[in-house]
Amino acid sequence: MKKMVLALMCAVLLTGCGKAGNVESVEENVTTQQTEEATSSEKVPTTEESEAVDDDSLIDTDLSQILDISECDTFTQIVDKVLKPGMGYTNEAIGDTDALLVCGGAYDNMDGNMAAIDSTIYIYDKDGVPTCLGFVSSHGTAYPLAAKDGILYVAIYHGISTYTITNGELLETEAAWTEYDEDGNETYYYSKDGGDATQVDSVDTQTALEEKYADATILNFDVISE
């Protein structure tokens, strides 16, 4: 399976300064130096620093709890009026429905695409009004969201799940995963059409889904600029 690696580097530099002096003046300057250092350490982040933290915090977030689309009649209006800088969007046919997928943040997956691990999914309802259908999240940046033949592929913990949209509903069609006990022994599970999980004898079903995921197309998100 092709793997994509993301390196996210974030560093905050706090600087303090002191002045050299002779031995007799050290005690007199201690209080002043401590006050200056405390002030430097408590520096308020700049607007750019605050926005960066806020943007990072939106990754893997159900944006329907944040974005107000009540005044939007089209997907285009959602993109133009509601999405914030750093968020991403893409249009994809899932099942028999055209959907707008919005992510909290995207990253370069090293093949020219901006990939994402999360997506809040919007469709047009029966009255032609944009509505939020649901939220999916993949397990880690090495396994971004992908799609093929109307199926949305989402990596879960030690496994894969697939989704489609039918009759205005987001449905999990399959899920296969492995669980490990404290001794490292493996137990395999499978569920279909959102039903209860059942234990299966081998990893074969999971392997088959992983192969389909590897053959799917990584979703490419357009990122909203400042």
Side-chain angles (χ1 to χ4, degrees):
M1 177 186 298
K2 181 178 179 181
K3 300 202 175 201
M4 283 61 65
V5 179
L6 169 71
L8 296 176
M9 303 176 60
C10 181
V12 177
L13 179 62
L14 300 178
T15 60
C17 59
K19 297 181 180 179
N22 59 36
V23 174
E24 289 77 15
S25 65
V26 169
E27 291 184 359
E28 296 175 357
N29 292 332
V30 165
T31 301
T32 301
Q33 290 175 351
Q34 289 176 338
T35 302
E36 291 174 350
E37 290 172 356
T39 301
S40 176
S41 298
E42 295 171 1
K43 181 184 66 173
V44 177
T46 65
T47 300
E48 291 182 356
E49 291 171 339
S50 298
E51 289 177 351
V53 171
D54 289 343
D55 288 345
D56 289 343
S57 70
L58 293 179
I59 296 176
D60 201 18
T61 299
D62 182 353
L63 298 178
S64 67
Q65 306 300 312
I66 300 173
L67 302 179
D68 180 6
I69 66 167
S70 59
E71 300 299 320
C72 298
D73 297 322
T74 65
F75 289 164
T76 300
Q77 289 181 357
I78 293 176
V79 172
D80 292 343
K81 297 180 178 181
V82 178
L83 300 193
K84 309 299 182 183
M87 294 180 180
Y89 67 93
T90 189
N91 294 92
E92 185 68 31
I94 303 176
D96 58 1
T97 305
D98 291 327
L100 173 69
L101 283 69
V102 178
C103 66
Y107 57 94
D108 187 349
N109 70 331
M110 305 302 177
D111 68 352
N113 292 321
M114 294 299 290
I117 63 170
D118 65 276
S119 183
T120 304
I121 302 173
Y122 297 90
I123 66 167
Y124 290 107
D125 65 16
K126 59 183 178 60
D127 297 318
V129 178
T131 185
C132 180
L133 200 58
F135 171 76
V136 296
S137 178
S138 195
H139 187 71
T141 55
Y143 306 97
L145 301 176
K148 184 177 181 180
D149 298 331
I151 298 296
L152 179 64
Y153 291 86
V154 181
I156 57 178
Y157 194 60
H158 295 307
I160 296 288
S161 61
T162 62
Y163 290 84
T164 190
I165 297 176
T166 302
N167 297 324
E169 294 184 8
L170 181 66
L171 303 174
E172 183 184 70
T173 53
E174 288 186 279
W177 67 97
T178 302
E179 293 185 3
Y180 298 86
D181 63 20
E182 59 185 10
D183 297 319
N185 298 311
E186 301 175 346
T187 304
Y188 310 110
Y189 293 92
Y190 176 75
S191 66
K192 187 175 179 63
D193 296 330
D196 294 335
T198 58
Q199 186 174 332
V200 293
D201 295 332
S202 74
V203 74
D204 291 350
T205 303
Q206 179 178 333
T207 300
L209 282 182
E210 290 172 346
E211 290 174 348
K212 290 180 179 179
Y213 168 71
D215 192 46
T217 300
I218 302 301
L219 297 183
N220 181 36
F221 288 79
D222 293 313
V223 179
I224 303 296
S225 59
E226 294 287 346

